[in-house]
Amino acid sequence: MDAITTPALARIAPPETRKSTLEIIRGIIRNPIENWPIETYEEPFVWAKLFGKNLVMVSDPELIKGILVDHADAFEKALSMRRSLGPSLGDSILLAEGARWRWQRRASAPSFRHERILSFFPAMHGAAEISCVKLLSQAGQEVSMAHEMMRVTFDIIVETMLSGAAGLDVDRVEQSITDSISTTTWSLLLTLAGLPKWTPHPRKLVAARGRKYLKSEFLRIAKERRANPSDRNDLLSLLVNATDAETGTAMNDQDLADNIFTFIAAGHETTALALTWTFYLLSQHPSIEERVLAEIAEVTQGEPLKQDDVDKLAYTKQVIMESMRLYPPAAMVVRTALRDIELPGLTIPKGTPVNIPIYATQRHKRIWSSPDTFDPENFTPEAIKSRHRYSYLPFGAGPRICIGMSFALTEAAIILATILPAVRLRLRPGYSPHPQLRVTLRPMGGMPMTVERRT
Ligand code: HEM
């Protein structure tokens, strides 16, 4: 196999224990993942102290099962997450707890059933074809693959969730989403330091401006749809017409707007990053790329991709899964313990922040024989069966597992199988894509790649 390795970040950076507090603060602002102690990749869990408070990072699959699955009701989404994302997403499905979360989840679920996702094939394939034509028109030029993939997944989420662009200024929405999450590491730092929300920090105004624009646009769409609530067979129709089985209440306009924001934000950048990292890894592993191309050619017989083909792209999906092992788009899940919890070998006191460093679990020395090597054989059915179920969790686990998991996997396979046979992408010489954690795991510099037309 043509192997390049993609070293885990804590192995590049020195462990946190050897850094001063100022260095840790700088590190959190620049790229929190570089602050993870090396033990995160080698031990079942590691305690860390930040601003005098204990937090635990748990990498062991059985302990993760204890936290996210067996004792899920003993944890809530962490204050840092609520504080960084709450101003944008309100009390929507991603951040709500208890009965309020349950009914939003039930109301959204029908949009994510297998047959419903397959019915999105024309929207997904159509957007992928447009992206492919656009890339081919730039043959010989360099593009930012992160940006290209954001655009195609954005078009898909808007089409499938809102039945079309609903008058949105796509460029401005995309920029505003980037602006509104650009200060999340500051929010994280201020929360950890116990400082109030109003504490000034860089880019606070830019983020607030982006958020204000998005919230007013999504509220406009919610009001328009409420005024004309006929079923358009999209997620928004479901949410407008849903009522809570326990209380009989429906979503008000603000709830709708918060959920539109949530589904657009959670549902496009993550998949775009999965694809960006996949195109990068394939460009570095020609023999794996050849095998993917051969599978696509065999399944499609040289015709445009069809809905029935998607389930047959087994190796292509293995490649996407392996890519999300090395570069999980959501690299960490965070919780706070609501009460004292006893797990085998680990006692978590009430109030403790608990971090599940997905990126580290998926490169853990005790789980993976070659943790940093890109090897899609890690996802043959036999290899999957031989591992602990919670050693791979790019979509989280337990009741709060990603509702868009199948949607994302189907979409990624369709986009890859549409673009790859037509376009060869070459990484800019000398560029090394350093992963940076900003809610999602982005390649610094946006993954510059030169487009070539495949003959
Ligand atoms: C490769 C793509 C994706 C990845 C890696 C990903 C990852 C995740 C993760 C790790 C969580 C759990 C967060 C936690 O437990 O705190 C999550 C939740 C969620 N995701 Fe995704 N996601 C992806 C695509 C999508 C898509 C396409 C949608 C919607 C169309 C979506 C919507 C959501 C929502 C609404 C939640 C909250 C679910 C709940 O709390 O009940 N995601 N996602």
Side-chain angles (χ1 to χ4, degrees):
M1 185 175 68
D2 32 26
I4 57 142
T5 59
T6 55
L9 290 174
R11 292 182 208 171
I12 303 167
E16 179 190 15
T17 42
R18 284 185 230 138
K19 290 181 177 176
S20 70
T21 306
L22 195 64
E23 280 172 318
I24 293 172
I25 291 174
R26 269 204 217 109
I28 290 179
I29 294 164
R30 208 184 50 231
N31 193 8
I33 202 169
E34 288 178 9
N35 274 299
W36 293 359
I38 196 124
E39 292 85 350
T40 329
Y41 299 83
E42 296 172 354
E43 302 296 332
F45 60 89
V46 50
W47 286 95
K49 214 174 195 102
L50 208 53
F51 301 111
K53 287 180 213 142
N54 288 328
L55 69 86
V56 64
M57 308 209 29
V58 181
S59 320
D60 175 71
E62 192 55 29
L63 292 174
I64 292 175
K65 177 172 173 277
I67 295 161
L68 294 182
V69 185
D70 302 340
H71 301 281
D73 62 343
F75 295 89
E76 64 174 5
K77 299 250 171 158
L79 182 62
S80 54
M81 188 171 174
R82 216 177 283 290
R83 201 159 134 183
S84 51
L85 298 178
S88 300
L89 309 184
D91 207 15
S92 69
I93 179 172
L94 190 76
L95 296 178
E97 299 286 352
R100 198 176 145 74
W101 162 71
R102 258 191 309 280
W103 100 265
Q104 295 187 74
R105 178 100 188 184
R106 269 201 309 268
S108 317
S111 267
F112 296 96
R113 297 208 179 104
H114 185 66
E115 62 285 7
R116 187 81 188 93
I117 290 168
L118 283 182
S119 78
F120 294 145
F121 177 86
M124 292 176 173
H125 186 236
E129 282 195 311
I130 290 171
S131 171
C132 187
V133 169
K134 191 171 148 214
L135 282 169
L136 286 173
S137 74
Q138 298 173 86
Q141 296 170 32
E142 190 179 270
V143 297
S144 158
M145 269 316 268
H147 184 75
E148 283 302 316
M149 292 300 101
M150 296 282 175
R151 173 49 63 90
V152 59
T153 54
F154 182 84
D155 289 346
I156 291 172
I157 197 79
V158 168
E159 184 58 39
T160 52
M161 301 288 119
L162 308 177
S163 290
L168 286 173
D169 173 346
V170 175
D171 289 327
R172 190 157 171 208
V173 168
E174 214 187 330
Q175 186 55 48
S176 302
I177 290 179
T178 304
D179 289 345
S180 66
I181 63 167
S182 65
T183 54
T184 45
T185 43
W186 277 103
S187 308
L188 175 71
L189 195 68
L190 298 179
T191 313
L192 290 171
L195 290 169
K197 278 184 195 163
W198 48 260
T199 309
H201 60 75
R203 293 188 63 78
K204 197 170 181 174
L205 278 178
V206 176
R209 216 178 296 132
R211 220 166 25 236
K212 192 170 166 215
Y213 168 72
L214 292 169
K215 284 177 95 75
S216 71
E217 276 298 87
F218 297 143
L219 197 56
R220 170 184 67 77
I221 294 173
K223 285 181 195 297
E224 281 173 12
R225 187 62 77 90
R226 169 121 30 227
N228 179 9
S230 62
D231 188 0
R232 295 180 210 173
N233 212 13
D234 58 12
L235 176 69
L236 189 53
S237 289
L238 269 177
L239 297 182
V240 169
N241 296 313
T243 47
D244 185 346
E246 281 166 31
T247 63
T249 51
M251 286 193 190
N252 62 29
D253 289 345
Q254 192 56 55
D255 294 337
L256 287 175
D258 290 344
N259 276 295
I260 296 172
F261 199 155
T262 298
F263 277 100
I264 288 186
H268 89 283
E269 182 174 331
T270 40
T271 317
L273 288 169
L275 282 157
T276 304
W277 290 110
T278 303
F279 278 112
Y280 157 67
L281 288 163
L282 288 176
S283 77
Q284 304 301 299
H285 295 83
S287 64
I288 296 174
E289 186 179 56
E290 281 309 318
R291 200 170 150 195
V292 175
L293 285 166
E295 179 181 78
I296 297 168
E298 195 191 321
V299 167
T300 61
Q301 296 293 308
E303 298 289 317
L305 191 73
K306 293 186 295 303
Q307 184 175 318
D308 291 350
D309 296 337
V310 182
D311 285 340
K312 298 178 196 149
L313 295 169
Y315 186 70
T316 306
K317 286 182 190 159
Q318 273 177 238
V319 164
I320 294 166
M321 284 158 93
E322 172 67 350
S323 158
M324 285 197 292
R325 179 182 73 79
L326 288 174
Y327 298 105
M332 183 160 78
V333 161
V334 286
R335 296 286 188 270
T336 302
L338 290 167
R339 53 176 194 265
D340 293 352
I341 287 290
E342 283 288 340
L343 297 172
L346 173 64
T347 303
I348 305 177
K350 178 180 172 181
T352 305
V354 180
N355 292 358
I356 313 286
I358 295 175
Y359 179 93
T361 297
Q362 295 182 171
R363 290 175 180 250
H364 204 281
K365 265 186 153 174
R366 296 190 188 183
I367 303 171
W368 308 90
S369 54
S370 303
D372 301 330
T373 304
F374 178 56
D375 182 5
E377 297 307 306
N378 281 324
F379 289 91
T380 60
E382 304 74 49
I384 293 172
K385 241 181 262 155
S386 71
R387 272 193 309 269
H388 193 293
R389 177 160 168 207
Y390 297 101
S391 49
Y392 179 73
L393 59 157
F395 295 99
R400 303 301 293 252
I401 195 168
C402 177
I403 196 169
M405 178 168 71
S406 306
F407 182 105
L409 287 171
T410 306
E411 177 185 18
I414 291 171
I415 295 172
L416 192 62
T418 305
I419 294 179
L420 197 70
V423 177
R424 173 179 286 122
L425 292 151
R426 294 206 189 276
L427 196 64
R428 177 197 289 168
Y431 168 84
S432 171
H434 193 70
Q436 184 181 39
L437 188 55
R438 284 272 177 276
V439 185
T440 51
L441 196 66
R442 299 172 161 200
M444 274 186 199
M447 198 70 81
M449 301 186 92
T450 301
V451 179
E452 287 175 15
R453 184 182 290 271
R454 267 186 219 281
T455 46

